[in-house]
Amino acid sequence: MERKNIWNNYTEKDLKKLEKICKKYLDFLSVGKTERECVREIVRQAKEAGYQDLEEIVEKEESLKVGDKVYYVCMKKTVALFHIGEKPLEEGMNILGAHIDSPRLDVKQNPLYEKAEMAYLDTHYYGGIKKYQWVSMPLAIHGVVVKKDGTAETICIGEKDSDPVFCVSDLLIHLAGEQMEKKAAKVVEGEKLDLLVGSMPLEDEEKDAVKANVLKLLKKEYGMEEADFISAELEIVPAGRARELGFDRSMILSYGQDDRVCAYTSLDAMLEVDKLEKTACCLLVDKEEVGSVGATGMQSHFFENAVAEIMNCMGNYSELSLRRCLRNSRMLSSDVNAGYDPLYYTYFEKKNASFCGYGVVFSKFTGSRGKSGSNDANAEYLAALRRMMDDNHVYYQTAELGKVDVGGGGTIAYILSLYGMEVIDCGVAVLSMHGPWEVTSKADIYETQKCYVTFLKNA
Ligand code: MN
Ligand code: MN
């Protein structure tokens, strides 16, 4: 089967729309570098589009009707959006599900120390990273410090031009003979990923004067004590905005595109659709990179609870109706695929790899090796999606994640499939996935948004 680059199919009008979506996407990436920041931005956009807080509706015992739009936030890190369609919920929903957490370095709970008159924050990495990629580059601190009295300080240092940044140092090449002989996994080990945060001693302080000075500054800026690190969630991420990439500006380079590229296009599609037959749902969840665990991960019951509340607000909740609703739903697990990298072509099987600039990617299954841990979408479902995409002029490709014996990966697809609903992985091809800066094609972002709109309207 021949597959083609799609750039030359675009009219002026297409290119205009493409640039508009990608411009908004660049902003989204730049304001949302943590799951909390993403939830804040998603809720802001949803409210602007007429969405209401489901919790408030439940509290006031108000009812919901066809056409209503609600959002449901779980612990400020996961959010579900619903747009009620004309058909009864029992007939199922059309669901888009992406994740908004990305690999990074988290600050430990007792992190601050001084060594040789340098102050450091000790970190614990989150998700799958090549540790050696995180040294010698500008890093920012994003997150929240919750004090004992319950008040919270939002932290974001390293993004404004006037802000300082932070870094993890690396051994100079001149002395790295032994280091360079090590395996890549050991070149920089997890406990070496400590963030350099200061070097100026506090006057008249005898012991750990540099650390004391950092604490003084934290107290002044954020009113925080050292013990407040215990109840903080601080994430270390690459500093700086998302950028256009290439002479032709055809690509985007940014931190966190796995999976904010699918989160953004899902959100944008969700906010665009109107007058729906089936209820549309958009899940933007936390903890995918560590196995979808915890209260804010996809394995949590927050989603089921939200659907139950909605049914209740519509006056037709029962255990059986809820089960029917979930079973009859269809889902696109919106997550990224490994884009074919010509520099590393030996790890891909070209006929079944995704290419940047070839359109949205469908993956019938994920998992690794003998399809272990895979959600395998039904042929019937794929046939329906092919029809839907062709009828609506969406360019798509199909792909696996690399060669069969090489490795693999998973998404939240298998979790939703447990309800007995149809689920398939569908998203954007990415280069340097899980690297501090990941690459996507603007054409794929445009097609993915179109795909998601088409799905919500027609599935
Ligand atoms: Mn992902
Ligand atoms: Mn990932």
Side-chain angles (χ1 to χ4, degrees):
M1 277 180 285
E2 200 197 356
R3 302 182 302 158
K4 280 195 199 125
N5 186 300
I6 59 177
W7 274 104
N8 291 334
N9 299 337
Y10 288 150
T11 61
E12 278 299 313
K13 207 175 138 202
D14 285 318
L15 291 171
K16 235 180 155 171
K17 276 204 250 170
L18 175 153
E19 289 298 344
K20 204 175 152 199
I21 286 170
C22 289
K23 196 170 173 292
K24 287 192 291 174
Y25 172 51
L26 285 167
D27 289 336
F28 182 81
L29 284 169
S30 305
V31 300
K33 290 193 174 185
T34 67
E35 44 294 307
R36 283 175 189 261
E37 288 171 353
C38 285
V39 165
R40 213 178 305 141
E41 175 62 14
I42 291 158
V43 168
R44 187 191 70 77
Q45 291 194 22
K47 276 183 170 168
E48 220 173 75
Y51 278 73
Q52 294 173 280
D53 187 349
L54 177 61
E55 280 193 286
E56 274 177 31
I57 289 169
V58 168
E59 213 168 285
K60 292 183 196 154
E61 293 180 30
E62 288 174 356
S63 56
L64 285 172
K65 55 178 193 314
V66 173
D68 281 348
K69 298 184 263 188
V70 291
Y71 65 86
Y72 180 73
V73 173
C74 177
M75 294 186 184
K76 301 178 182 168
K77 294 186 215 172
T78 278
V79 57
L81 308 176
F82 297 88
H83 185 152
I84 314 288
E86 278 158 33
K87 287 187 175 170
L89 267 167
E90 281 199 18
E91 290 183 33
M93 303 181 285
N94 292 330
I95 305 169
L96 296 172
H99 65 95
I100 50 177
D101 62 318
S102 293
R104 60 179 186 253
L105 311 179
D106 284 340
V107 173
K108 287 187 184 178
Q109 260 42 69
N110 184 13
L112 187 60
Y113 71 93
E114 174 174 339
K115 213 171 188 178
E117 288 166 83
M118 303 277 229
Y120 295 92
L121 288 177
D122 207 328
T123 71
H124 192 143
Y125 61 96
Y126 171 98
I129 61 167
K130 289 179 168 177
K131 282 163 258 181
Y132 64 79
Q133 292 181 330
W134 289 74
V135 296
S136 292
M137 68 184 302
L139 297 168
I141 303 178
H142 290 236
V144 67
V145 178
V146 185
K147 295 175 198 158
K148 259 207 293 192
D149 65 2
T151 56
E153 286 284 345
T154 306
I155 310 269
C156 179
I157 314 164
E159 299 297 348
K160 287 199 286 274
D161 283 343
S162 55
D163 277 356
V165 290
F166 308 90
C167 82
V168 177
S169 59
D170 193 8
L171 183 62
L172 61 165
I173 185 67
H174 314 69
L175 303 179
E178 187 195 275
Q179 185 196 32
M180 299 301 279
E181 295 302 317
K182 290 184 185 172
K183 282 191 172 167
K186 300 260 176 183
V187 165
V188 174
E189 292 190 69
E191 288 297 353
K192 279 259 175 345
L193 292 174
D194 290 359
L195 198 68
L196 181 56
V197 297
S199 69
M200 195 194 288
L202 185 66
E203 231 178 305
D204 301 325
E205 190 79 19
E206 296 267 299
K207 203 178 160 266
D208 288 349
V210 175
K211 176 181 167 182
N213 196 35
V214 169
L215 282 171
K216 189 185 153 196
L217 291 168
L218 290 176
K219 174 89 183 170
K220 189 177 150 224
E221 271 318 297
Y222 306 104
M224 81 178 270
E225 310 283 345
E226 185 173 13
D228 290 329
F229 277 114
I230 293 172
S231 47
E233 284 174 6
L234 298 173
E235 304 181 9
I236 313 300
V237 297
R241 277 183 63 84
R243 310 283 291 268
E244 291 178 306
L245 177 71
F247 287 118
D248 54 11
R249 298 172 183 261
S250 61
M251 295 167 281
I252 285 174
L253 180 73
S254 173
Y255 165 68
Q257 297 203 72
D258 172 10
D259 181 35
R260 293 180 189 128
V261 67
C262 298
Y264 182 72
T265 42
S266 295
L267 172 70
D268 200 62
M270 187 72 183
L271 301 184
E272 180 181 314
V273 293
D274 206 11
K275 294 217 177 67
L276 294 161
E277 274 194 23
K278 273 197 194 169
T279 293
C281 169
C282 177
L283 300 169
L284 301 164
V285 302
D286 182 27
K287 295 286 184 286
E288 193 274 345
E289 296 295 358
V290 293
S292 299
V293 291
T296 56
M298 198 60 238
Q299 292 190 51
S300 141
H301 289 215
F302 82 90
F303 165 61
E304 223 175 289
N305 293 347
V307 180
E309 294 286 6
I310 287 172
M311 289 186 132
N312 196 41
C313 289
M314 297 189 74
N316 60 359
Y317 171 75
S318 76
E319 173 71 17
L320 187 60
S321 311
L322 175 64
R323 284 166 184 265
R324 282 180 179 158
C325 170
L326 294 170
R327 185 198 69 203
N328 290 327
S329 291
R330 279 178 157 182
M331 187 206 192
L332 295 184
S333 171
S334 341
D335 209 337
V336 295
N337 195 276
Y340 182 87
D341 189 335
L343 299 183
Y344 295 95
Y345 68 91
T346 52
Y347 300 98
F348 297 87
E349 189 270 287
K350 210 172 172 184
K351 297 191 304 308
N352 291 286
S354 59
F355 285 76
C356 288
Y358 279 45
V360 60
V361 186
F362 284 99
S363 299
K364 189 173 184 297
F365 47 84
T366 53
S368 44
R369 297 180 181 86
K371 299 194 177 181
S372 144
S374 148
N375 162 66
D376 199 344
N378 248 16
E380 286 82 355
Y381 186 35
L382 265 156
L385 289 168
R386 281 174 60 199
R387 199 161 53 234
M388 225 181 282
M389 296 304 139
D390 286 343
D391 289 351
N392 292 280
H393 314 288
V394 176
Y395 296 109
Y396 67 90
Q397 50 183 329
T398 60
E400 298 191 6
L401 197 99
K403 276 186 180 168
V404 293
D405 278 333
V406 169
T411 67
I412 61 170
Y414 76 97
I415 303 164
L416 276 295
S417 70
L418 295 174
Y419 292 114
M421 70 173 77
E422 308 233 52
V423 183
I424 189 167
D425 280 288
C426 170
V428 176
V430 174
L431 300 188
S432 309
M433 194 196 293
H434 283 209
W437 298 92
E438 303 169 311
V439 178
T440 56
S441 159
K442 285 182 177 176
D444 298 335
I445 293 163
Y446 180 53
E447 291 306 320
T448 301
Q449 196 268 3
K450 272 167 61 188
C451 162
Y452 294 165
V453 168
T454 298
F455 173 80
L456 292 180
K457 283 185 178 165
N458 301 290

PDB file of all heavy atoms in Angstrom, residues 99 258-259 288-289 335-336, ligand 1:
ATOM      1  N   HIS A  99      -3.412  12.059  27.543  1.00  0.00           N
ATOM      2  CA  HIS A  99      -2.841  12.329  28.865  1.00  0.00           C
ATOM      3  C   HIS A  99      -2.064  13.635  28.871  1.00  0.00           C
ATOM      4  O   HIS A  99      -1.544  14.077  27.848  1.00  0.00           O
ATOM      5  CB  HIS A  99      -2.007  11.157  29.380  1.00  0.00           C
ATOM      6  CG  HIS A  99      -0.764  10.837  28.608  1.00  0.00           C
ATOM      7  ND1 HIS A  99       0.459  11.322  28.955  1.00  0.00           N
ATOM      8  CD2 HIS A  99      -0.564  10.064  27.515  1.00  0.00           C
ATOM      9  CE1 HIS A  99       1.374  10.856  28.128  1.00  0.00           C
ATOM     10  NE2 HIS A  99       0.783  10.094  27.225  1.00  0.00           N
ATOM     11  N   ASP A 258       4.358  14.558  23.902  1.00  0.00           N
ATOM     12  CA  ASP A 258       3.735  13.316  24.364  1.00  0.00           C
ATOM     13  C   ASP A 258       3.197  13.621  25.756  1.00  0.00           C
ATOM     14  O   ASP A 258       3.967  13.651  26.711  1.00  0.00           O
ATOM     15  CB  ASP A 258       4.750  12.177  24.396  1.00  0.00           C
ATOM     16  CG  ASP A 258       4.198  10.914  25.048  1.00  0.00           C
ATOM     17  OD1 ASP A 258       2.987  10.853  25.297  1.00  0.00           O
ATOM     18  OD2 ASP A 258       4.994   9.988  25.321  1.00  0.00           O
ATOM     19  N   ASP A 259       1.918  13.885  25.943  1.00  0.00           N
ATOM     20  CA  ASP A 259       0.914  13.658  24.938  1.00  0.00           C
ATOM     21  C   ASP A 259       0.063  14.919  24.750  1.00  0.00           C
ATOM     22  O   ASP A 259      -1.099  14.857  24.406  1.00  0.00           O
ATOM     23  CB  ASP A 259       0.067  12.458  25.379  1.00  0.00           C
ATOM     24  CG  ASP A 259      -1.015  12.077  24.402  1.00  0.00           C
ATOM     25  OD1 ASP A 259      -0.794  12.201  23.190  1.00  0.00           O
ATOM     26  OD2 ASP A 259      -2.108  11.700  24.846  1.00  0.00           O
ATOM     27  N   GLU A 288      -0.296   8.792  33.112  1.00  0.00           N
ATOM     28  CA  GLU A 288      -0.142   7.764  32.077  1.00  0.00           C
ATOM     29  C   GLU A 288       1.292   7.275  32.006  1.00  0.00           C
ATOM     30  O   GLU A 288       1.560   6.093  31.809  1.00  0.00           O
ATOM     31  CB  GLU A 288      -0.587   8.307  30.709  1.00  0.00           C
ATOM     32  CG  GLU A 288      -0.762   7.225  29.640  1.00  0.00           C
ATOM     33  CD  GLU A 288       0.515   6.863  28.881  1.00  0.00           C
ATOM     34  OE1 GLU A 288       1.507   7.634  28.967  1.00  0.00           O
ATOM     35  OE2 GLU A 288       0.555   5.807  28.227  1.00  0.00           O
ATOM     36  N   GLU A 289       2.227   8.198  32.197  1.00  0.00           N
ATOM     37  CA  GLU A 289       3.648   7.847  32.039  1.00  0.00           C
ATOM     38  C   GLU A 289       4.164   6.940  33.149  1.00  0.00           C
ATOM     39  O   GLU A 289       5.282   6.446  33.070  1.00  0.00           O
ATOM     40  CB  GLU A 289       4.503   9.121  31.946  1.00  0.00           C
ATOM     41  CG  GLU A 289       4.214   9.981  30.717  1.00  0.00           C
ATOM     42  CD  GLU A 289       4.574   9.299  29.390  1.00  0.00           C
ATOM     43  OE1 GLU A 289       5.080   8.168  29.415  1.00  0.00           O
ATOM     44  OE2 GLU A 289       4.328   9.915  28.342  1.00  0.00           O
ATOM     45  N   ASP A 335      -3.148   9.249  21.620  1.00  0.00           N
ATOM     46  CA  ASP A 335      -1.772   9.275  22.115  1.00  0.00           C
ATOM     47  C   ASP A 335      -0.815   9.225  20.939  1.00  0.00           C
ATOM     48  O   ASP A 335      -1.195   8.876  19.821  1.00  0.00           O
ATOM     49  CB  ASP A 335      -1.524   8.111  23.080  1.00  0.00           C
ATOM     50  CG  ASP A 335      -0.468   8.434  24.127  1.00  0.00           C
ATOM     51  OD1 ASP A 335       0.361   9.336  23.881  1.00  0.00           O
ATOM     52  OD2 ASP A 335      -0.460   7.783  25.177  1.00  0.00           O
ATOM     53  N   VAL A 336       0.416   9.564  21.198  1.00  0.00           N
ATOM     54  CA  VAL A 336       1.392   9.712  20.118  1.00  0.00           C
ATOM     55  C   VAL A 336       1.949   8.371  19.655  1.00  0.00           C
ATOM     56  O   VAL A 336       1.876   7.371  20.361  1.00  0.00           O
ATOM     57  CB  VAL A 336       2.556  10.627  20.563  1.00  0.00           C
ATOM     58  CG1 VAL A 336       2.049  12.038  20.808  1.00  0.00           C
ATOM     59  CG2 VAL A 336       3.237  10.084  21.807  1.00  0.00           C
TER      60      VAL A 336
HETATM   61 MN    MN B   1       1.789   9.031  25.586  1.00  0.00          MN
END
